[in-house]
Amino acid sequence: MLEYDDHIAVAVSGGKDSLTLLNLLVKLEKRFPKSKITAISVDEGIAAYRDEALELARKACDRLDVEHTIVSYRELFGITTDEIARMRLGQTPCAYCGVFRRKAINKAAAMVGATKIATAHNLDDEVQTVLLNMLHGDPLRIVRSGPVLRDPRGNFLTRIKPLCEIPEKEIVLYAYLTGLEFQSIACPHSADALRNDIRSFLNLMEQKHAGSKFTLNRTAERVRELLAAAAPTSQLNECENCGDPTPHRLCEACLMLHAIVA
Ligand SMILES: [Zn+2]
Protein backbone atom coordinates (compact mmCIF):
# COMPACT_ATOMS: atom_id res chain seq x y z
CA MET A 1 0.00 0.00 0.00
CA LEU A 2 2.79 2.42 0.84
CA GLU A 3 6.19 3.50 -0.50
CA TYR A 4 9.08 4.59 1.72
CA ASP A 5 8.76 8.23 0.60
CA ASP A 6 4.98 8.65 0.54
CA HIS A 7 3.28 11.75 1.88
CA ILE A 8 0.14 10.18 3.35
CA ALA A 9 -3.00 12.24 3.80
CA VAL A 10 -4.91 10.44 6.56
CA ALA A 11 -8.63 11.19 6.64
CA VAL A 12 -9.39 11.76 10.33
CA SER A 13 -13.00 12.17 11.44
CA GLY A 14 -12.37 11.91 15.18
CA GLY A 15 -13.99 8.47 15.47
CA LYS A 16 -12.28 5.32 16.80
CA ASP A 17 -11.32 3.97 13.36
CA SER A 18 -9.59 7.06 12.00
CA LEU A 19 -7.80 7.86 15.27
CA THR A 20 -6.56 4.24 15.46
CA LEU A 21 -5.34 4.49 11.87
CA LEU A 22 -3.56 7.78 12.55
CA ASN A 23 -1.93 6.32 15.68
CA LEU A 24 -0.67 3.25 13.82
CA LEU A 25 0.56 5.11 10.74
CA VAL A 26 2.44 7.66 12.86
CA LYS A 27 4.21 4.75 14.61
CA LEU A 28 5.13 3.13 11.29
CA GLU A 29 6.10 6.38 9.64
CA LYS A 30 8.82 7.08 12.24
CA ARG A 31 10.86 4.26 10.64
CA PHE A 32 10.79 6.00 7.23
CA PRO A 33 12.57 9.37 7.36
CA LYS A 34 11.55 10.36 3.82
CA SER A 35 7.84 9.82 4.44
CA LYS A 36 5.36 12.30 5.83
CA ILE A 37 1.86 12.30 7.32
CA THR A 38 -0.77 15.03 7.22
CA ALA A 39 -4.14 14.57 8.88
CA ILE A 40 -7.16 15.81 6.96
CA SER A 41 -10.56 16.49 8.48
CA VAL A 42 -13.77 17.53 6.79
CA ASP A 43 -16.28 19.83 8.46
CA GLU A 44 -19.62 18.90 6.88
CA GLY A 45 -21.51 21.43 9.00
CA ILE A 46 -23.37 19.06 11.33
CA ALA A 47 -24.34 20.86 14.54
CA ALA A 48 -23.79 19.18 17.92
CA TYR A 49 -21.69 16.48 16.28
CA ARG A 50 -18.83 17.58 14.08
CA ASP A 51 -17.39 20.24 16.41
CA GLU A 52 -16.68 17.67 19.12
CA ALA A 53 -15.10 15.29 16.59
CA LEU A 54 -12.91 18.03 15.09
CA GLU A 55 -11.72 18.97 18.56
CA LEU A 56 -10.80 15.32 19.27
CA ALA A 57 -8.99 15.11 15.92
CA ARG A 58 -7.11 18.33 16.69
CA LYS A 59 -6.05 17.05 20.12
CA ALA A 60 -4.82 13.75 18.66
CA CYS A 61 -2.78 15.60 16.01
CA ASP A 62 -1.24 17.85 18.68
CA ARG A 63 -0.32 14.82 20.79
CA LEU A 64 1.16 12.95 17.82
CA ASP A 65 2.80 16.08 16.40
CA VAL A 66 1.06 15.73 13.03
CA GLU A 67 0.03 18.62 10.76
CA HIS A 68 -3.74 18.96 10.55
CA THR A 69 -5.75 20.47 7.70
CA ILE A 70 -9.50 21.08 7.93
CA VAL A 71 -11.70 21.80 4.92
CA SER A 72 -15.41 22.61 5.14
CA TYR A 73 -18.42 22.02 2.91
CA ARG A 74 -19.34 25.67 3.52
CA GLU A 75 -16.12 26.97 1.92
CA LEU A 76 -15.91 24.27 -0.80
CA PHE A 77 -19.56 23.91 -1.81
CA GLY A 78 -21.37 26.82 -0.17
CA ILE A 79 -23.76 24.53 1.70
CA THR A 80 -23.70 22.30 4.80
CA THR A 81 -25.09 18.81 5.43
CA ASP A 82 -27.52 20.24 8.00
CA GLU A 83 -28.89 22.62 5.33
CA ILE A 84 -29.18 19.75 2.82
CA ALA A 85 -31.04 17.64 5.40
CA ARG A 86 -33.51 20.50 6.04
CA MET A 87 -34.30 20.70 2.30
CA ARG A 88 -35.74 17.14 2.33
CA LEU A 89 -34.45 16.30 -1.15
CA GLY A 90 -35.05 13.10 -3.09
CA GLN A 91 -32.09 11.24 -1.56
CA THR A 92 -30.97 10.94 2.06
CA PRO A 93 -28.53 13.61 3.29
CA CYS A 94 -25.92 10.80 3.59
CA ALA A 95 -26.03 10.27 -0.20
CA TYR A 96 -24.96 13.90 -0.78
CA CYS A 97 -22.60 13.94 2.17
CA GLY A 98 -20.72 10.85 0.94
CA VAL A 99 -20.07 12.32 -2.52
CA PHE A 100 -19.06 15.72 -1.09
CA ARG A 101 -16.78 14.11 1.50
CA ARG A 102 -14.87 12.16 -1.18
CA LYS A 103 -14.38 15.35 -3.18
CA ALA A 104 -13.41 17.34 -0.08
CA ILE A 105 -10.80 14.75 0.94
CA ASN A 106 -9.38 14.71 -2.61
CA LYS A 107 -9.12 18.51 -2.61
CA ALA A 108 -7.51 18.65 0.82
CA ALA A 109 -5.01 15.90 -0.08
CA ALA A 110 -4.05 17.72 -3.29
CA MET A 111 -3.78 21.01 -1.35
CA VAL A 112 -1.21 19.58 1.10
CA GLY A 113 0.72 17.84 -1.71
CA ALA A 114 0.01 14.28 -0.57
CA THR A 115 0.90 11.25 -2.71
CA LYS A 116 -1.65 8.88 -1.13
CA ILE A 117 -4.91 9.08 0.78
CA ALA A 118 -5.49 6.66 3.67
CA THR A 119 -8.99 6.07 4.99
CA ALA A 120 -9.98 4.03 8.05
CA HIS A 121 -12.54 1.61 6.60
CA ASN A 122 -12.49 -1.61 8.64
CA LEU A 123 -13.41 -5.20 7.75
CA ASP A 124 -17.04 -4.66 8.79
CA ASP A 125 -17.38 -1.53 6.62
CA GLU A 126 -15.87 -3.37 3.66
CA VAL A 127 -18.07 -6.47 3.74
CA GLN A 128 -21.17 -4.37 4.44
CA THR A 129 -20.38 -2.34 1.32
CA VAL A 130 -19.92 -5.48 -0.78
CA LEU A 131 -23.34 -6.79 0.21
CA LEU A 132 -24.86 -3.32 -0.17
CA ASN A 133 -23.56 -3.07 -3.75
CA MET A 134 -24.93 -6.51 -4.54
CA LEU A 135 -28.34 -5.60 -3.11
CA HIS A 136 -28.29 -2.37 -5.13
CA GLY A 137 -27.59 -4.46 -8.24
CA ASP A 138 -24.27 -2.72 -8.83
CA PRO A 139 -21.55 -5.42 -8.92
CA LEU A 140 -19.06 -3.20 -10.81
CA ARG A 141 -18.93 -0.90 -7.82
CA ILE A 142 -17.21 -3.76 -5.94
CA VAL A 143 -14.20 -3.19 -8.22
CA ARG A 144 -14.05 0.45 -7.17
CA SER A 145 -14.16 -0.28 -3.44
CA GLY A 146 -11.00 -2.36 -2.99
CA PRO A 147 -8.27 -1.96 -0.33
CA VAL A 148 -6.07 -0.07 -2.82
CA LEU A 149 -7.70 2.14 -5.42
CA ARG A 150 -5.22 3.17 -8.09
CA ASP A 151 -6.26 5.29 -11.03
CA PRO A 152 -4.41 3.89 -14.08
CA ARG A 153 -4.93 7.29 -15.79
CA GLY A 154 -3.30 9.14 -12.89
CA ASN A 155 -6.17 11.60 -12.43
CA PHE A 156 -6.85 10.67 -8.82
CA LEU A 157 -4.50 10.10 -5.91
CA THR A 158 -4.23 6.45 -4.87
CA ARG A 159 -6.53 5.62 -1.96
CA ILE A 160 -5.62 2.96 0.56
CA LYS A 161 -7.52 1.28 3.41
CA PRO A 162 -4.89 -0.13 5.79
CA LEU A 163 -7.47 -1.38 8.32
CA CYS A 164 -9.69 -3.18 5.81
CA GLU A 165 -8.92 -6.62 7.24
CA ILE A 166 -9.33 -5.61 10.90
CA PRO A 167 -12.73 -6.37 12.47
CA GLU A 168 -14.46 -3.38 14.04
CA LYS A 169 -14.44 -5.08 17.47
CA GLU A 170 -10.63 -5.28 17.46
CA ILE A 171 -10.37 -1.58 16.58
CA VAL A 172 -12.67 -0.72 19.49
CA LEU A 173 -10.46 -2.86 21.74
CA TYR A 174 -7.28 -1.16 20.46
CA ALA A 175 -8.79 2.28 20.94
CA TYR A 176 -9.79 1.51 24.54
CA LEU A 177 -6.53 -0.23 25.47
CA THR A 178 -4.40 2.61 24.12
CA GLY A 179 -6.61 5.20 25.79
CA LEU A 180 -7.61 6.98 22.58
CA GLU A 181 -10.16 9.70 23.14
CA PHE A 182 -12.67 9.31 20.34
CA GLN A 183 -16.19 10.42 19.44
CA SER A 184 -18.74 7.76 20.28
CA ILE A 185 -22.05 9.38 19.30
CA ALA A 186 -23.42 8.61 15.84
CA CYS A 187 -24.09 11.26 13.21
CA PRO A 188 -27.63 12.64 13.73
CA HIS A 189 -28.37 12.16 10.01
CA SER A 190 -27.17 8.56 9.72
CA ALA A 191 -30.18 6.37 9.07
CA ASP A 192 -29.11 4.02 6.29
CA ALA A 193 -31.75 1.34 6.95
CA LEU A 194 -30.34 -1.16 4.45
CA ARG A 195 -26.78 -0.91 5.78
CA ASN A 196 -28.06 -1.29 9.35
CA ASP A 197 -29.90 -4.50 8.40
CA ILE A 198 -26.79 -5.81 6.63
CA ARG A 199 -24.70 -5.00 9.73
CA SER A 200 -27.08 -6.99 11.95
CA PHE A 201 -27.13 -9.89 9.48
CA LEU A 202 -23.31 -10.03 9.25
CA ASN A 203 -22.92 -9.87 13.03
CA LEU A 204 -25.39 -12.75 13.41
CA MET A 205 -23.50 -14.76 10.75
CA GLU A 206 -20.18 -14.07 12.46
CA GLN A 207 -21.59 -15.11 15.82
CA LYS A 208 -23.02 -18.38 14.47
CA HIS A 209 -20.30 -19.07 11.87
CA ALA A 210 -17.02 -17.52 12.99
CA GLY A 211 -14.91 -16.23 10.12
CA SER A 212 -17.84 -15.30 7.86
CA LYS A 213 -16.70 -11.69 7.47
CA PHE A 214 -13.15 -12.72 6.49
CA THR A 215 -14.47 -15.27 4.00
CA LEU A 216 -16.78 -12.73 2.41
CA ASN A 217 -13.91 -10.27 2.15
CA ARG A 218 -11.71 -12.91 0.45
CA THR A 219 -14.53 -13.70 -1.96
CA ALA A 220 -14.87 -9.99 -2.79
CA GLU A 221 -11.12 -9.81 -3.49
CA ARG A 222 -11.36 -12.67 -5.98
CA VAL A 223 -14.48 -11.20 -7.61
CA ARG A 224 -12.67 -7.86 -7.83
CA GLU A 225 -9.75 -9.40 -9.74
CA LEU A 226 -12.07 -11.14 -12.18
CA LEU A 227 -14.28 -8.08 -12.70
CA ALA A 228 -11.33 -5.70 -13.08
CA ALA A 229 -10.01 -7.85 -15.92
CA ALA A 230 -13.44 -7.77 -17.61
CA ALA A 231 -14.52 -4.15 -16.93
CA PRO A 232 -13.11 -1.51 -19.29
CA THR A 233 -11.57 1.68 -17.88
CA SER A 234 -13.91 4.56 -18.69
CA GLN A 235 -12.84 7.60 -20.70
CA LEU A 236 -12.56 10.72 -18.54
CA ASN A 237 -13.55 14.30 -19.38
CA GLU A 238 -13.04 17.47 -17.39
CA CYS A 239 -16.12 18.45 -15.37
CA GLU A 240 -17.60 21.53 -17.09
CA ASN A 241 -18.09 23.20 -13.74
CA CYS A 242 -15.07 22.38 -11.55
CA GLY A 243 -12.58 20.76 -13.92
CA ASP A 244 -12.31 17.53 -11.94
CA PRO A 245 -12.05 14.33 -14.00
CA THR A 246 -15.40 12.61 -14.63
CA PRO A 247 -16.78 10.06 -17.12
CA HIS A 248 -19.74 12.46 -17.72
CA ARG A 249 -20.16 16.17 -18.52
CA LEU A 250 -20.40 17.11 -14.85
CA CYS A 251 -18.84 15.30 -11.90
CA GLU A 252 -21.18 13.68 -9.35
CA ALA A 253 -20.71 16.47 -6.78
CA CYS A 254 -21.46 19.25 -9.31
CA LEU A 255 -24.51 17.32 -10.59
CA MET A 256 -25.79 17.14 -7.01
CA LEU A 257 -25.06 20.82 -6.35
CA HIS A 258 -26.97 21.77 -9.52
CA ALA A 259 -29.93 19.63 -8.43
CA ILE A 260 -29.89 21.27 -4.98
CA VAL A 261 -29.83 24.83 -6.37
CA ALA A 262 -32.47 24.05 -9.01
ZN1 LIG B 1 -17.44 19.11 -10.95
Side-chain angles (χ1 to χ4, degrees), residues 2-134:
L2 293 164
E3 312 289 332
Y4 71 99
D5 58 350
D6 266 328
H7 177 180
I8 317 160
V10 186
V12 178
S13 67
K16 63 184 186 330
D17 300 299
S18 62
L19 290 176
T20 294
L21 177 64
L22 185 66
N23 233 41
L24 292 172
L25 285 179
V26 165
K27 266 191 195 174
L28 278 176
E29 192 260 349
K30 289 202 166 78
R31 299 185 348 221
F32 298 88
K34 293 201 165 171
S35 66
K36 184 179 175 183
I37 287 181
T38 303
I40 286 174
S41 298
V42 179
D43 182 357
E44 307 93 340
I46 303 171
Y49 172 70
R50 185 48 73 206
D51 289 349
E52 183 200 21
L54 287 175
E55 180 57 22
L56 291 169
R58 194 188 57 73
K59 271 200 213 163
C61 291
D62 278 353
R63 180 172 54 78
L64 296 167
D65 196 19
V66 170
E67 280 175 36
H68 188 204
T69 294
I70 302 175
V71 289
S72 74
Y73 284 6
R74 169 71 70 212
E75 71 187 84
L76 291 177
F77 311 117
I79 195 161
T80 66
T81 295
D82 278 349
E83 286 166 356
I84 292 171
R86 278 196 290 273
M87 293 168 88
R88 301 194 179 280
L89 301 157
Q91 302 183 66
T92 63
C94 307
Y96 298 91
C97 199
V99 169
F100 292 158
R101 187 176 311 106
R102 206 171 325 131
K103 196 178 181 80
I105 290 173
N106 278 338
K107 275 195 187 296
M111 227 164 68
V112 302
T115 55
K116 290 211 174 104
I117 298 172
T119 60
H121 297 84
N122 61 43
L123 177 69
D124 292 63
D125 298 326
E126 289 301 281
V127 289
Q128 284 163 19
T129 302
V130 168
L131 287 190
L132 203 58
N133 288 330
M134 291 173 85

Side-chain angles (χ1 to χ4, degrees), residues 103 239-244 250-254:
K103 196 178 181 80
C239 168
E240 287 179 8
N241 187 49
C242 73
D244 276 4
L250 290 172
C251 71
E252 213 177 350
C254 287

Side-chain angles (χ1 to χ4, degrees), residues 197-254:
D197 288 344
I198 291 172
R199 178 183 294 118
S200 306
F201 164 72
L202 285 169
N203 286 341
L204 179 70
M205 286 295 288
E206 187 64 38
Q207 195 190 330
K208 293 182 96 170
H209 311 278
S212 292
K213 291 176 188 173
F214 281 112
T215 308
L216 196 55
N217 194 44
R218 287 272 176 273
T219 303
E221 273 175 22
R222 297 205 56 201
V223 168
R224 211 167 271 137
E225 284 167 23
L226 296 169
L227 282 177
T233 310
S234 56
Q235 187 72 40
L236 288 188
N237 316 308
E238 274 182 17
C239 168
E240 287 179 8
N241 187 49
C242 73
D244 276 4
T246 168
H248 310 288
R249 266 185 51 233
L250 290 172
C251 71
E252 213 177 350
C254 287

